Amino acid sequence: MARQEAKKDVVIVGLGWTGAIMGIELAQEGLEIVALERGHDQNTVPNFQYPNMIDELKYGVRLKMMQKPSQQTVTVRRNEGETALPYRSLGSFLPGNGVGGAGTHWNGLNWRPQAEEMRLRSYIAENWGEQIIPEDMTIGDYPVTYDELEPFFARFERVAGISGTAGNIKGELREGGNPFEGWRSEDYPMPAMPSTWDGVKFAEAAKAAGYHPFPSPGGIASRAYVNEYGMQMGPCNHCGFCERYGCFQYSKSSPQTAILDRLKQYPNFSYRTESEVLRVEMAADGKTATGVTYFDEKAGEEVFQPADIVILATYQLNNVHLMLLSGIGQPYDARTGEGVTGKNYGYQMNGGVTMFFKDEHFNPFIGTGANGFCIDDFGMNNIDYGAEGFIGGAYWRSGQTNGQPIRSMPLPSGTPTWGAGWKRAVGEWYGHAMSIGAHGSCMSYATNHLDLDPTYTDRHGRPLMRMTFNWNANDIRQTQFMKSKMEPLAQSMNPDLMQSSFKKEGAQYDVRPYQTTHNTGGHIMSATPDTGAVNRYSQAWDKHNVFALGAGNFVQNTQYNPTGLVGGLAYWTAHAIRTQYLSNPRPLV
Amino acid sequence: MNTILRVIGGAAVLGAAGLAAFVFVPVQRTVAVTDLPADWKAPEGAGEYVMYAGDCMACHTAEGGEPFAGGRAIHSPMGTIWSTNITPDPETGIGGYTLDEFRAAMIDGIRADGAHLYPAMPYENYRLMTEEDIRALYQYFMEDVAPVNNAVEATALSFPFNMRFGIRAWNWLALAHEAGPSAATGDAAFDRGAYLVQGAGHCAACHSPRTTFMAQDGLTESDENYLTGGEVAGWHAPALRGEGSAPHVWAVEEMAAYLSTGRNAHSAANGEMGLVVRDSLQHLTDEDNLAIATYLKAMDGEPGTPTVAEAATTTETMLTEATDLDLGARLYMDNCSACHFVDGKGAAEIFPELANNSIVTAPQIGGLANVILHGAELPSTEHRPMKLKMQGYADRLSDDEVAALMTFLRQAWGNDAPPVAASEIGAFRAPAH
C-alpha cells in the first residue's frame, strides 16, 4: 500500500525548463503545487561552482550531470526486424538529471522555428503539391501557428535571457540579423555576443559568397541581465564550458538563473527531489487523472500524490514513457499507423566540414555553446523541395564551443589515434582548425516511433520504452545537399586541409557516438484526437486534466535546436490553463 | 580627629545612601513625546512595518527558532547577551507589558521590572522614534504576533557587567538626546530618511564608531562622528558619510537598490548587512529606501562628483598583458577575474565591483577574508529573488595565497589599503557562524 500525500491542486512531474515555467505561472494563480523531481537538487553554488565544474573528464566524458542508464533508459533498434537492446552507455543523446534538467547542461542555442515549419504539410501542398511527400513521411501542420505563438516565444526569450541580433521585427528586415527568420515583435533582450575568429572568418566568407551571416542566438548573457521575475544573469566570460556542464557564473540561461529562486518564494509551491514518478493514476471512468504515484528514493517506498491537474514536464523520452505506462493516448502501432502515443519520434540530421589552417591561430580557450555566426540561406523556407528532391533544410554555424583537450582536438583524418604520430599532429594542429556545422531537419516517419519494450524492464519492474529509429533517404539527401553547398564555401577559405562529415546513402543510425540531444515527438500535438496525443494546448485528448509539455509535442522536429519552441509552447500552455482551463476544467478543444 | 572621623563617616553614609539610591531607586521613565488619545489605533499593517524598519527579527529570533521568541546569542565585548522573547507570551515574553513599560524598554532601555536592558538593544536610536510608531509596534506585538512560550537562556555576563545598575551611569552618557525624532527640515524625503536612519533603522548602532564607554559615537548628523564607520562581528561597517563613502559615490537610486535588494551596480550586501537587507530593508517601500538614500546623500550638503582613480587602468593593463604577474595578481586572474573582470568592475547587481569597495579596503580584514575563504550569499528579496552565491576558496588557497590575493585587491584599481600578512588569515579559517 503506497503512502499517500495530501492532495494538491497541481502536480508537476520534472523540474526542468517546462516544469519551472508551469510552476511559476500556476503559482501566480494561487494554486497549491508540488513538483516531483527524479534527480537531486542543484544550484549554481555549490553544484556548478568554480573550479570543480571545469572538469572535462568528470562531466564531459563520464557525464556526471546526466541521467544514469541504471536508473532510467530506453531500448533501441533501427527497424521492426531488429531486437531492441538497452541503451546502457550514453552516446547518441544525453538526457539530463536533477533540478533544472537538460536546461542546466545545454549549449544555450535558442531558436524559434520558422513559420513554414509550423505548417509544413500545407506549405508543401501549396508550393509543390502534397504528392511530393513520401508515403511513409508522417509530417503535418502544428495545430497552433507561428503568429499565435509569437508573444510566447518573445516571453520565453525575455525570461531565459537570450542574446542575439533580430533580423525581422514586425516584417521589417534588420541588417545583421537573420533575414529568413519568423517575425519578431521585439528585439532580443540582449545584444549578440562577440564571436571568436573562426566565426568571423566564416561570416566573411559567407558574405562574399552572397549569403546572409548573423550572430548565433543564445541563452548566454552578453551583459548583466535581469528578467521579469527579477532573476539575474552575469556577463559570460567565454570559458567554453557550456554543454555537459552547469554554468559556474550565472551566465547561461537555465531554470536556476531564470526562474527557480523566484518560484521558491511562493509559499504555495514546493518540490521534492529524488522522487521518480512511476505512473499517472486514473479515475475509475478513465477520463481524468487522479494524481501520480512516485518512488521516494529516500524513504525507499511508493507514494501516491493526488492532484487535480497533472503536468508532465519531464524530458521528452520520459514523458512518452509515462504516457505509455499510464494509458494516456492509444499507443501508436507502426504496422497499422493507428494510435497516437509514441508516434512521430524525431531527431536531427547534422553534418559538417572541418578545415585546417597552418597559418591561422584560433584560440581554443575561448568559446561558448552558442558562439559564432550562422547562415540560414539553406533553411527550410529557402529550399525548393520539388527541384532538390528532398524535404528539409539546415542552418549552418561556425564558432568554437570549447577547446577541451579530450574531446575537442580535431585532427586531420588518417592521423594515428595515439603515440608519436598523434602527438606530432596535436602539436601541429591544435588551435589551427575550425569547422562549419549544418544543423538539419529530420522529418517524421511512420517507421520511427516509441513503444513499450516487450523484454526489458527497469528497476521498478516497468517495461523500458523502446525506440525504433533509423535514418531516412530523404534526410540523407538533405545532408548531402548541404555537403554540396558547404564544401565549396569551405574551399573558398583556402584551408591547408579539409574534411567533411555528412551521412551517406545507406547510413544506419548508430547509438554510440554523440549526435544531439534533440529527441522529439511521441506525444505530438494534433488538430484531431486520432492524429496526436495532445491538443493545441498540450492537453491530453483523452484525459483533460493531464498536460504534456516539451519537445514531445513536436509534430516533426524543426531544423533548429528545440528549446525556443519548447519554452514558447510552455508559456502558451500555461496561458491557456490560466485563462481557459482553471475556471472550467474540461477538454479545451 | 573626631571631626575628621565624623566627616569620613558622614561621607561614607552619604556615599552608601547615594550608591543605594543609584542601585535601588527606580529610574524615571521618559513620557510619551506625543500625547495620543487612549483609543488611538495604528492603521492596518503599520506596526508590522515598524517592526521591519526596526529589524526586531534580526536579534529576537534564534536561528531556526520561532519568530520573536528570542534566544539568539549576541556577542559583545562584555560577553554573550541572549536576546529576549518579545512575543506576547505572559510568562516568558512581553505579554504582561503595558504600553508605558513597552515604551520604556524601547526608549529608556528599562525592563518592566525596572532593571536596565543591555544596550545591545538599540534604545539609544529607538529613542528617536515617534510615539505613533511605538504605539503601532506595541499593538503589533500584542495583537498580531503569536505568543510563544520559550524561556531563553539568561544573559550572564561576568563582573562588573553583570551589575545591570551600572547601565544607569552609562545611560547618562548615552541617552543625551531628547526623546522623539529630529527636527524636520521641510524636505519630506530627507526628513523621512533621517527619521528611518536615526530611529527605527538604528544604522548608527553599527555604522557609527563607539566611544571609550562603548556608546554610539554619534546619533544624528550634528554629531561629528555619526556614521563615520564602525565594526560589527569582525566586519567593517563602512562610513556612510564623507569623501569616498558609498552614499557619496553612488547615485541615490543605486543606494536605494542596494538597500532593497542587497545588490546594485557597485556592490553586494554581505555579512551582517545581508541580514539587514533580508530581514528589514527589503520589506520597506521603495519610497522609504529612496528616502534613506536621499538623506544619506544629502546630510552634509550635496557632495561633489567623486574622482576616478587613474590607477584603475594601470591595474587593468597589467592584468590584460599578464606578463610577470606577482602571486596576488596571478591568483586574481585564476580565481576571480572570470566574474569580477580585469577592470575590477564586475557586473551590475551580480558581480560586485572591487575597486573602491569598502569590504575590500576596510581596516578590519575580516570581511574580505571571510568572503574569499567561505564565500558569500545574497538574500532572496522581493525585487531580486536570486540567492546569488559566491563560492569560498578555503580549500583552494593557502594562508599565504589568501594574503597575497587580499594585498593585491587592496591595492589594485586605485584601492589604497595596507597589505595583509599570511599570519592574519588563520583566524578566519573556521567558518563564521
Side-chain angles (χ1 to χ4, degrees):
Chain A
M1 184 65 195
R3 190 175 94 215
Q4 181 160 338
E5 288 284 345
K7 189 177 172 198
K8 296 281 183 180
D9 296 320
V10 182
V11 61
I12 296 174
V13 186
L15 192 54
W17 267 126
T18 60
I21 290 169
M22 297 305 284
I24 195 158
E25 292 297 295
L26 297 181
Q28 288 168 10
E29 296 291 330
L31 299 171
E32 285 294 325
I33 302 167
V34 64
L36 301 173
E37 164 58 42
R38 175 191 64 192
H40 56 288
D41 205 354
Q42 49 186 2
N43 292 294
T44 302
V45 177
N47 305 81
F48 311 154
Q49 80 181 39
Y50 179 86
N52 315 50
M53 180 48 67
I54 308 303
D55 184 337
E56 188 189 13
L57 185 61
K58 182 172 180 180
Y59 297 102
V61 176
R62 293 179 179 158
L63 306 172
K64 293 297 182 190
M65 302 261 314
M66 309 304 171
Q67 171 179 307
K68 289 175 183 55
S70 60
Q71 185 172 7
Q72 205 160 1
T73 192
V74 292
T75 64
V76 184
R77 61 178 182 172
R78 289 170 296 196
N79 56 56
E80 305 289 323
E82 289 184 340
T83 300
L85 293 171
Y87 182 49
R88 294 179 189 273
S89 177
L90 298 185
S92 175
F93 49 90
L94 306 172
N97 194 34
V99 170
T104 62
H105 70 73
W106 66 319
N107 252 335
L109 284 157
N110 193 82
W111 297 84
R112 300 173 175 197
Q114 294 175 347
E116 295 83 357
E117 293 183 287
M118 301 297 293
R119 51 187 299 278
L120 188 58
R121 183 167 278 273
S122 298
Y123 173 68
I124 294 167
E126 284 157 18
N127 289 282
W128 299 278
E130 252 182 297
Q131 77 285 349
I132 73 159
I133 301 174
E135 202 171 327
D136 66 344
M137 189 188 286
T138 49
I139 58 175
D141 291 357
Y142 282 66
V144 51
T145 66
Y146 181 92
D147 288 358
E148 286 176 302
L149 288 177
E150 200 289 331
F152 302 96
F153 292 143
R155 176 101 189 274
F156 178 70
E157 287 162 3
R158 287 196 304 271
V159 167
I162 308 298
S163 302
T165 303
N168 178 346
I169 295 186
K170 296 176 183 161
E172 184 192 318
L173 298 190
R174 297 291 188 98
E175 185 65 33
N178 178 6
F180 309 115
E181 70 179 3
W183 67 278
R184 298 172 173 277
S185 50
E186 59 193 30
D187 206 341
Y188 283 97
M190 275 182 278
M193 289 172 296
S195 170
T196 46
W197 171 229
D198 53 346
V200 174
K201 192 174 168 68
F202 162 71
E204 286 173 358
K207 196 155 193 172
Y211 304 141
H212 302 81
F214 57 93
S216 306
I220 295 175
S222 58
R223 55 166 65 164
Y225 185 71
V226 180
N227 74 10
E228 66 179 66
Y229 303 127
M231 294 293 288
Q232 298 173 261
M233 294 167 84
C236 172
N237 69 30
H238 301 242
C239 80
F241 285 81
C242 297
E243 190 171 65
R244 306 191 183 194
Y245 307 89
C247 179
F248 67 75
Q249 70 161 31
Y250 302 94
S251 300
K252 183 170 74 177
S253 93
S254 65
Q256 277 80 355
T257 59
I259 299 173
L260 290 173
D261 277 350
R262 166 62 88 209
L263 179 54
K264 290 174 194 174
Q265 286 185 336
Y266 284 89
N268 49 326
F269 173 85
S270 61
Y271 67 108
R272 300 178 203 139
T273 56
E274 294 171 68
S275 299
E276 181 178 13
V277 172
L278 303 177
R279 62 192 168 272
V280 182
E281 304 291 355
M282 298 303 160
D285 66 2
K287 289 191 174 127
T288 52
T290 55
V292 300
T293 295
Y294 68 94
F295 184 73
D296 177 342
E297 205 75 44
K298 289 167 214 163
E301 63 180 352
E302 289 192 10
V303 182
F304 176 54
Q305 174 60 61
D308 288 332
I309 299 176
V310 175
I311 309 272
L312 300 179
T314 71
Y315 190 67
Q316 172 263 356
L317 293 169
N318 300 331
N319 257 13
V320 179
H321 189 210
L322 275 176
M323 291 170 76
L324 288 167
L325 289 167
S326 310
I328 301 170
Q330 189 190 336
Y332 173 72
D333 183 337
R335 281 161 302 189
T336 63
E338 283 172 14
V340 290
T341 304
K343 178 181 174 176
N344 281 20
Y345 171 69
Y347 202 44
Q348 208 90 60
M349 175 61 87
N350 300 335
V353 172
T354 300
M355 289 157 278
F356 298 86
F357 298 85
K358 284 195 177 104
D359 299 326
E360 291 280 16
H361 181 61
F362 306 102
N363 180 352
F365 297 95
I366 312 170
T368 77
N371 179 30
F373 276 86
C374 302
I375 62 168
D376 217 350
D377 295 80
F378 302 102
M380 292 284 289
N381 60 5
N382 268 329
I383 306 274
D384 183 341
Y385 302 155
E388 303 299 347
F390 67 88
I391 293 166
Y395 81 86
W396 299 5
R397 185 176 70 85
S398 177
Q400 63 206 22
T401 57
N402 68 83
Q404 293 159 30
I406 304 174
R407 297 167 306 123
S408 301
M409 205 148 353
L411 295 171
S413 47
T415 302
T417 54
W418 61 283
W422 177 83
K423 284 182 188 170
R424 223 180 359 261
V426 168
E428 197 173 350
W429 295 114
Y430 186 69
H432 295 278
M434 65 169 279
S435 61
I436 307 170
H439 191 277
S441 60
C442 172
M443 295 297 118
S444 298
Y445 302 94
T447 49
N448 288 344
H449 65 101
L450 304 166
D451 61 3
L452 291 177
D453 191 274
T455 310
Y456 294 95
T457 56
D458 68 9
R459 63 199 186 115
H460 305 291
R462 305 179 301 171
L464 293 187
M465 188 167 71
R466 176 170 64 180
M467 173 189 293
T468 306
F469 178 79
N470 209 353
W471 300 117
N472 189 286
N474 172 78
D475 302 307
I476 289 175
R477 285 196 294 276
Q478 176 261 105
T479 202
Q480 284 296 317
F481 171 86
M482 298 302 158
K483 178 174 191 276
S484 73
K485 300 292 181 187
M486 194 182 287
E487 283 179 345
L489 183 74
Q491 208 58 263
S492 78
M493 296 162 75
N494 295 315
D496 295 297
L497 291 168
M498 65 176 261
Q499 59 206 30
S500 293
S501 171
F502 292 89
K503 292 198 168 55
K504 298 181 186 68
E505 196 185 330
Q508 302 289 304
Y509 178 52
D510 183 348
V511 81
R512 295 167 301 171
Y514 183 71
Q515 285 151 81
T516 180
T517 309
H518 303 166
N519 312 80
T520 68
H523 59 76
I524 66 170
M525 294 183 136
S526 61
T528 55
D530 57 332
T531 47
V534 300
N535 65 26
R536 68 198 304 257
Y537 301 113
S538 314
Q539 182 183 36
W541 280 111
D542 60 350
K543 311 279 187 291
H544 71 75
N545 65 343
V546 176
F547 293 80
L549 279 294
N553 284 332
F554 291 11
V555 178
Q556 57 271 336
N557 199 1
T558 79
Q559 66 167 3
Y560 299 111
N561 310 63
T563 308
L565 179 52
V566 166
L569 284 173
Y571 273 106
W572 156 263
T573 299
H575 182 74
I577 293 175
R578 296 178 74 168
T579 57
Q580 300 180 52
Y581 187 77
L582 292 179
S583 57
N584 180 16
R586 68 198 187 286
L588 294 175
V589 176
Chain B
M1 187 70 185
N2 271 354
T3 313
I4 293 167
L5 278 178
R6 266 203 299 278
V7 170
I8 293 172
V13 168
L14 213 63
L19 187 64
F22 178 77
V23 176
F24 297 111
V25 173
V27 180
Q28 207 70 31
R29 294 188 187 122
T30 305
V31 296
V33 293
T34 309
D35 199 10
L36 296 176
D39 62 351
W40 184 88
K41 277 292 209 188
E44 177 79 26
E48 185 184 35
Y49 193 81
V50 176
M51 177 279 291
Y52 281 130
D55 202 5
C56 312
M57 184 80 88
C59 292
H60 288 281
T61 304
E63 202 67 59
E66 294 288 331
F68 310 114
R72 175 179 286 269
I74 296 160
H75 301 282
S76 82
M78 285 81 73
T80 298
I81 294 167
W82 295 91
S83 71
T84 52
N85 181 342
I86 54 167
T87 70
D89 180 58
E91 191 190 343
T92 60
I94 60 168
Y97 272 54
T98 64
L99 171 64
D100 287 342
E101 287 166 346
F102 179 80
R103 184 189 307 106
M106 288 290 294
I107 70 176
D108 292 320
I110 300 169
R111 282 197 322 215
D113 65 1
H116 286 280
L117 295 171
Y118 287 110
M121 167 76 175
Y123 55 88
E124 288 174 88
N125 314 94
Y126 292 161
R127 192 171 176 79
L128 305 181
M129 291 168 67
T130 62
E131 174 67 6
E132 286 84 350
D133 277 359
I134 286 170
R135 285 277 290 266
L137 191 61
Y138 178 70
Q139 199 179 306
Y140 171 74
F141 277 113
M142 293 304 158
E143 295 170 15
D144 296 345
V145 172
V148 178
N149 191 282
N150 180 37
V152 301
E153 188 161 341
T155 298
L157 303 186
S158 55
F159 183 82
F161 304 111
N162 58 344
M163 303 285 112
R164 282 179 182 262
F165 60 81
I167 303 289
R168 187 169 194 172
W170 189 89
N171 283 347
W172 295 339
L173 298 166
L175 296 186
H177 286 260
E178 287 296 310
S182 298
T185 64
D187 177 327
F190 181 94
D191 290 341
R192 177 66 180 162
Y195 174 69
L196 287 166
V197 169
Q198 295 168 0
H202 63 281
C203 307
C206 295
H207 290 277
S208 282
R210 296 272 165 171
T211 65
T212 322
F213 303 103
M214 296 305 292
Q216 294 178 33
D217 192 1
L219 294 171
T220 72
E221 63 271 20
S222 58
D223 302 323
E224 191 186 354
N225 290 333
Y226 170 65
L227 300 186
T228 55
E231 184 178 334
V232 55
W235 288 64
H236 176 61
L240 299 181
R241 69 197 293 199
E243 185 76 23
S245 66
H248 179 221
V249 176
W250 300 352
V252 167
E253 294 73 21
E254 290 174 336
M255 175 60 83
Y258 178 87
L259 299 174
S260 71
T261 68
R263 60 205 89 180
N264 68 6
H266 304 284
S267 195
N270 292 306
E272 296 289 320
M273 192 62 196
L275 301 179
V276 175
V277 170
R278 184 189 72 186
D279 297 331
S280 169
L281 294 169
Q282 69 151 319
H283 302 286
L284 302 192
T285 62
D286 291 346
E287 291 73 29
D288 273 353
N289 278 319
L290 276 166
I292 292 172
T294 301
Y295 166 70
L296 292 176
K297 187 81 169 173
M299 74 169 109
D300 294 320
E302 282 298 321
T305 317
T307 48
V308 180
E310 274 186 27
T313 46
T314 314
T315 305
E316 190 178 342
T317 308
M318 185 258 289
L319 292 175
T320 306
E321 288 172 354
T323 50
D324 298 324
L325 296 180
D326 67 15
L327 178 63
R330 203 264 294 158
L331 289 168
Y332 180 79
M333 290 301 284
D334 286 351
N335 296 287
C336 321
S337 67
C339 294
H340 297 281
F341 298 104
V342 291
D343 60 8
K345 290 197 191 313
E349 300 194 65
I350 185 158
F351 307 139
E353 201 168 46
L354 301 177
N356 191 34
N357 181 315
S358 61
I359 294 178
V360 175
T361 56
Q364 296 88 344
I365 63 166
L368 182 60
N370 256 300
V371 170
I372 292 174
L373 288 167
H374 309 300
E377 178 176 337
L378 297 190
S380 181
T381 65
E382 178 65 24
H383 294 317
R384 293 289 179 270
M386 189 179 266
K387 286 183 187 169
L388 272 170
K389 259 188 194 178
M390 171 183 140
Q391 75 266 26
Y393 289 82
D395 59 347
R396 187 164 154 84
L397 302 178
S398 68
D399 288 357
D400 283 330
E401 290 170 326
V402 173
L405 177 58
M406 286 177 67
T407 299
F408 166 78
L409 294 171
R410 286 160 70 84
Q411 297 170 357
W413 310 290
N415 288 346
D416 186 19
V420 174
S423 57
E424 297 177 82
I425 305 302
F428 303 104
R429 280 270 166 196
H433 41 78

